Amino acid sequence: MANQPTIVVDTYGGNAAPDAILAAAARQSLVGKAQLLLVGDAAELQRRLAGLSYDPMRLRIVGAPAPYPRQTGDALAATQAARAALPVALGLLVDGEGDALVTAAPPGVAWQLARETLASVVPGVAPALASVVPTLPRSSGDDPFALVLDVSGEAAATAGQLIAFAVMGAAYAKVVSGVRQPQVSLLSTGLGLEEGPPAVVAAHRALKRIAGFQFVGNVRAVDIPRGYADVVVSGGYTGHAVRGLLEGLADLTIDAARYAWKSKVTWRAGLRLLSPGVGMLKRVSEFKEYGGSPLLGLDRLVLVANPDSSEAALANAIRLASKCVRHGLRDEIARQLEATRELWQEEGA
Amino acid sequence: MSELRTDTSAHAAPVVDDPRRPEIVYRWDLDKTYVQTDFSSVRGLLRAATEKAENKRVVPGMRALLTALSRRHRARIIVVSGSPTQMRARIEAMFRLHGVRCDKLVLKDFVGRVRKLRSVRAQVPYKLAAHLDTRLWLRERDADVDEICFGDDAEVDALIYCLYTDIVARRVDATRLRSLLSHVGAYDDEVRHILGSLAQLPRQDPVRRVFIHLDTRSPPSRYAAYQGRVTATFNALQIALSLQEDGLAGAVEVSAVAEALVSGFRVDAHGLAGSIEDAARRGICSVATAEYVAAEILPSTDVARAGFSASFADRVVRRLRQAPPPIAPTLPLAPLAYEDLFDAEHLFARTRKLARKAAERVPGLGDFLESEGR
C-alpha cells in the first residue's frame, strides 16, 4: 500500500452528487491501489458511506464548507457548490497532500479555478483540456481513442501554445495510452502546409523541426474519427466545438438504435444480429462512460469528468488519474516541454 | 453494555480477591475474525483444512492484537470456532507459533452431527451452546468475569453474541428462546442442551462489547438494526482504538497493532490515518482518543518511518476536529427482534450472492437499448 498515488475526489461534482461519486470512490477503495481523499460535507459523506462497502485505509474524508445542492441538476447550485468546494480540493494538491484531482464539476468552473490555483508544470506554458475521441483502428496500436486538445473553449491559441499542446498530447499518448511513437497532427481547414489560420501555419512549420517527433501534418475535422493521428491539436474554441459535435452525433446514433429497437420486431431482430457491433459502438461512443478529460500542463493533474457521468465512468476517472500519476505523466510532460522550450517560447506560448 | 447491566447481586458468585483471577475474557471466533479463510470454494475449504500452522494467513494486525491482549490484565482467551475438531492440533500449533495463549478452544464435531444435516451448517445452535458451556467453564474457575466478544460479518456472529448476552442476562426468557431456536432450525437435543446450560448460569450481564470485523466488507449500516450493541470494525487498529477508549488497551497494544500493519501488511501512514478518522467519525472511539493515538502514540513508534510523523499527525488531528461525530443517543437495552434479524441476515447473504453473480454477467444489447433514452 506504501507510495501509492493520492487522488483527491470532489464529491460535489456531477448531476448525481454525491451518491454517484461516493459509490465510485467506495468501490475503488476496495479494488484500487490509490489513496482517495474525498472532499465534501464530512457528516453527510459519513452518513452515506455507512450504507456502502468501503475500505477506510484507502479512503479519507476532508471537510468542505458547502452543503450539497438540494436538487440534482440545479446548475446554479452546482456552480456555487463547486466554487466553495473546489478551492479546498485544489488546496490539497497545492499542499502536496494529493497528486491528482477528479471532479465532475461544471467544466468551465473547474477549468477556471484550476488555472487560478495551480502553477504551470513549466513556467510560461498555458494548460490545455484534452478529450478522447473514438476512431477507426489506427496503425499505432489497439487504443480505440485519439486525444484531442485543447477542448476548453478558450478563444484562440498562439502558435507557441499549439506547439506546447502537441508536446503535452504526445507525452500523454505515450505515457497513458502506451503509444510508443504517437502520431501528432494539427486540426486545420486543409491538409496543406499553408492552409489554416496563421497560428496553425506557424505551428506546423515549428513542429516539423522537432527531432524524433512524429508530426504527421494537418488533419481536417472529418479525419479525426478516421484515425489519421493519435493526437489532434487545436485551439480551445475549435476543439470544444469539434468535441460537442462528435458527442451529439454519438447520442444521435444511439438514440436511432434505441428507436429502431422499440419500433419494429424485424428491426429488433436485425439489431440482435448486429449486437456485437452495436455493443462496441456504444462502448466507444458513450462520452458519459469515459474516465474524464485531463487538464494538462499544470503542476498537478486535474481530471474533469462529464457532469452526467455514471458511477462506472467516475470510477474510470479515478483509475485513470491513478494511472497518470503512477506512470509519471507530469514529469514526462515537464521533460518534453523543457526539451522543446526554444520552439514554443519563440512562437509565443 | 456494562453501563446498562441488570442487578446481578442476588445471583452473583462471591467475588474472590485472587491475584490470579483474570480481569477480562476475550471470546474469539477463528475463521475470518483471526485467520483469513475462504469458505466460498471447495479449494478454499480444502486449503483451510490441510494447510500447516505456519502457512495460515492471519487477518492483518489480529495476531499482534491478540498477543498483546493476552499479556495484559491477566486476560483469558476463549476461541469458539466452526472448524472441525480434526483441526485442533493445527490450530493449537498456530497459536503456539503466534505466541498466543489460548485457554479454551472449542471446535465443531462434524462427525457427531453427520446424521443431522441441518446441524452441520447451522451456526446459531452450535455457537450458542458453545458460548454457554464455556461460560460455565469460566464460572468454575474465575467466577463472573466480563467478556469482550470478537466475530466477523461472514455469518451471523453479531446475532449469536447478542442472543448469548440477552439470554444470560435473562432479557430473553426460556420460552422465547425455545421459539427462537426453533425458528433457526435447531434440533430438539440442541435446544435441551442450551436450556440446560443456561439453567446452570446465574443471571448476569457479562458482555461489555461485541466487535464484528467487516471481513467481507459489509456496509457498517448492516449492524444498525443491533441498536448500538455491535461495534463494526474494518481492521485491528479500530478494535485497538475502541479498547483504548474502554481502558482495556494502552499505548503498547495500539502501537503493536499499528507496527504490525505497517511492517507486515504494507499499510502506510494514510491507511492508519484513514482508519483512525473513520473510527472517530463512526463513534468507535472518541475524537479525544483518536487525537491521543494520532498525536501522542504513533509518531513515537516505528510507524513514524512509514510517514506518520509529528507534522502528519497534526494534519490528522486538524481533520478530526473538522467534523466531530454526532453524539448517539443511549438507548435502553431491550431484547432485539431476533427472528427478524435472522431473516434479514439470510436475506443479506442471499442478496450479496446474487449481486456477485450479476456483477459477473456482462450486460447485453437489450439491457442498454431497453434503458431510458436521454
Side-chain angles (χ1 to χ4, degrees):
Chain A
M1 199 182 282
N3 300 322
Q4 293 297 339
T6 301
I7 310 300
V8 179
V9 179
D10 162 32
T11 63
Y12 290 91
N15 292 334
D19 290 328
I21 188 74
L22 193 59
R27 184 149 60 111
Q28 278 308 111
S29 76
L30 295 174
V31 298
K33 290 180 178 172
Q35 291 287 342
L36 305 178
L37 286 179
L38 302 185
V39 175
D41 180 335
E44 187 61 26
L45 284 182
Q46 184 58 46
R47 193 180 67 75
R48 290 176 196 237
L49 260 183
L52 299 171
S53 298
Y54 68 99
D55 183 354
M57 285 201 172
R58 295 190 192 278
L59 189 149
R60 299 171 65 192
I61 295 174
V62 180
Y68 291 102
R70 285 191 181 170
Q71 194 182 333
T72 56
D74 181 343
L76 181 64
T79 301
Q80 283 169 344
R83 287 202 177 281
L86 272 178
V88 177
L90 290 163
L92 293 168
L93 300 187
V94 173
D95 294 344
E97 284 203 62
D99 299 306
L101 166 67
V102 172
T103 178
V109 180
W111 165 258
Q112 186 203 346
L113 290 175
R115 284 189 68 166
E116 285 171 7
T117 312
L118 299 172
S120 294
V121 66
V122 169
V125 164
L129 189 64
S131 180
V132 289
V133 169
T135 72
L136 292 173
R138 301 190 305 280
S139 55
S140 53
D142 301 329
D143 187 354
F145 302 106
L147 191 74
V148 178
L149 76 169
D150 172 26
V151 297
S152 65
E154 291 279 298
T158 64
Q161 283 172 340
L162 291 175
I163 296 165
F165 295 168
V167 170
M168 293 193 295
Y172 183 92
K174 202 170 171 181
V175 170
V176 179
S177 306
V179 183
R180 204 176 293 167
Q181 283 283 341
Q183 297 185 327
V184 183
S185 66
L186 280 167
L187 182 64
S188 188
T189 50
L191 301 177
L193 169 63
E194 300 297 334
E195 290 185 81
V200 173
V201 174
H204 188 130
R205 287 209 178 92
L207 286 169
K208 280 173 81 173
R209 285 160 45 203
I210 304 177
F213 196 76
Q214 287 277 48
F215 178 58
V216 296
N218 291 356
V219 292
R220 296 161 302 174
V222 70
D223 300 322
I224 297 175
R226 289 175 180 165
Y228 283 12
D230 300 306
V231 178
V232 179
V233 178
S234 76
Y237 182 76
T238 315
H240 187 268
V242 165
R243 187 179 71 159
L245 181 64
L246 289 171
E247 283 184 15
L249 282 173
D251 282 356
L252 184 69
T253 311
I254 296 299
D255 283 349
R258 196 170 272 130
Y259 170 79
W261 178 265
K262 287 176 180 168
S263 296
K264 286 189 178 181
V265 175
T266 48
W267 289 0
R268 184 184 285 223
L271 279 168
R272 271 272 179 228
L273 291 172
L274 290 170
S275 65
V278 178
M280 194 183 76
L281 184 69
K282 184 206 177 256
R283 274 198 301 280
V284 298
S285 61
E286 276 275 64
F287 280 77
K288 283 188 234 167
E289 299 304 314
Y290 293 177
S293 300
L295 215 171
L296 304 177
L298 296 173
D299 191 37
R300 290 283 189 274
L301 178 76
V302 176
L303 268 177
V304 185
N306 188 316
D308 281 333
S309 292
S310 63
E311 179 192 326
L314 291 164
N316 283 342
I318 294 170
R319 270 203 296 269
L320 179 60
S322 175
K323 184 181 180 185
C324 289
V325 176
R326 273 188 288 111
H327 289 216
L329 174 65
R330 184 189 60 164
D331 292 346
E332 179 65 14
I333 286 177
R335 208 167 24 247
Q336 297 302 330
L337 284 172
E338 285 294 355
T340 54
R341 178 185 281 276
E342 243 176 54
L343 273 179
W344 52 261
Q345 265 186 343
E346 195 177 295
E347 298 293 344
Chain B
M1 288 174 203
S2 54
E3 67 277 11
L4 295 160
R5 195 170 297 176
T6 51
D7 181 14
T8 59
S9 55
H11 303 278
V15 176
V16 184
D17 190 16
D18 181 352
R20 290 166 303 174
R21 180 176 173 262
E23 292 174 14
I24 193 87
V25 171
Y26 294 115
R27 183 182 288 279
W28 281 71
D29 177 35
L30 192 63
D31 297 301
K32 292 182 180 290
T33 304
Y34 185 77
V35 186
Q36 286 184 321
T37 34
D38 172 22
F39 291 153
S40 62
S41 65
V42 177
R43 183 185 289 181
L45 276 170
L46 280 174
R47 192 191 304 131
T50 55
E51 69 188 348
K52 291 179 180 170
E54 58 268 31
N55 294 338
K56 288 208 177 284
R57 289 176 305 134
V58 179
V59 174
M62 291 301 188
R63 175 181 172 176
L65 177 70
L66 189 50
T67 308
L69 289 179
S70 67
R71 289 178 185 154
R72 192 183 159 102
H73 292 305
R74 305 192 303 269
R76 277 209 193 283
I77 310 288
I78 292 176
V79 177
V80 174
S81 167
S83 295
T85 46
Q86 289 75 11
M87 287 177 67
R88 177 174 292 279
R90 283 177 201 269
I91 293 168
E92 286 175 344
M94 177 192 71
F95 280 134
R96 271 197 303 277
L97 196 70
H98 293 177
V100 171
R101 190 201 67 248
C102 177
D103 297 297
K104 183 83 176 163
L105 173 63
V106 181
L107 300 171
K108 197 169 186 177
D109 177 15
F110 279 81
V111 177
R113 293 163 195 266
V114 79
R115 293 174 72 183
K116 295 175 177 175
L117 281 179
R118 225 167 45 221
S119 176
V120 172
R121 292 196 64 187
Q123 288 287 315
V124 179
Y126 159 68
K127 285 205 169 170
L128 203 54
H131 292 327
L132 291 169
D133 291 348
T134 46
R135 185 73 199 163
L136 279 171
W137 175 85
L138 273 174
R139 187 171 163 74
E140 286 166 13
R141 281 154 187 80
D142 310 317
D144 305 322
V145 186
D146 283 354
E147 298 187 15
I148 307 280
C149 301
F150 299 83
D152 58 73
D153 63 340
E155 300 266 351
V156 286
D157 287 355
L159 183 141
I160 295 168
Y161 281 137
C162 288
L163 184 55
Y164 163 66
T165 308
D166 275 349
I167 61 173
V168 174
R170 304 300 195 271
R171 280 187 289 268
V172 169
D173 63 22
T175 314
R176 175 135 167 67
L177 177 60
R178 194 174 280 122
S179 148
L180 272 170
L181 290 170
S182 157
H183 186 80
V184 300
Y187 287 94
D188 287 345
D189 59 338
E190 290 173 322
V191 175
R192 275 196 301 276
H193 181 128
I194 288 166
L195 292 173
S197 299
L198 184 61
Q200 296 174 59
L201 282 170
R203 182 180 166 196
Q204 296 170 318
D205 203 354
V207 178
R208 288 168 66 172
R209 198 175 280 275
V210 174
F211 286 108
I212 292 297
H213 170 59
L214 300 173
D215 186 78
T216 64
R217 293 289 181 253
S218 299
S221 62
R222 175 178 169 188
Y223 295 100
Y226 289 87
Q227 298 172 9
R229 296 178 178 208
V230 170
T231 306
T233 54
F234 283 102
N235 53 54
L237 182 61
Q238 294 193 330
I239 297 175
L241 285 162
S242 176
L243 293 173
Q244 162 101 17
E245 181 79 39
D246 293 347
L248 291 167
V252 174
E253 289 77 18
V254 174
S255 53
V257 172
E259 283 169 357
L261 290 171
V262 169
S263 61
F265 301 93
R266 302 187 68 211
V267 174
D268 62 9
H270 290 282
L272 298 178
S275 297
I276 294 169
E277 290 163 6
D278 181 77
R281 281 193 310 266
R282 294 198 292 117
I284 290 172
C285 68
S286 65
V287 172
T289 297
E291 281 186 24
Y292 173 69
V293 169
E296 305 294 330
I297 298 181
L298 296 187
S300 55
T301 65
D302 280 353
V303 303
R305 271 182 281 170
F308 214 108
S309 59
S311 59
F312 182 85
D314 283 346
R315 287 206 296 271
V316 175
V317 169
R318 272 205 307 275
R319 211 152 280 166
L320 283 165
R321 289 175 185 171
Q322 264 183 348
I327 298 163
T330 307
L331 301 169
L333 214 51
L336 301 169
Y338 284 103
E339 287 94 341
D340 294 346
L341 278 176
F342 184 77
D343 294 342
E345 290 281 11
H346 272 261
L347 182 65
F348 179 87
R350 216 168 35 238
T351 310
R352 183 159 58 183
K353 202 172 170 183
L354 287 172
R356 278 200 191 120
K357 279 188 179 167
E360 289 163 10
R361 184 176 145 258
V362 179
L365 172 70
D367 287 321
F368 98 86
L369 289 178
E370 290 286 7
S371 65
E372 285 302 308
R374 281 176 287 264

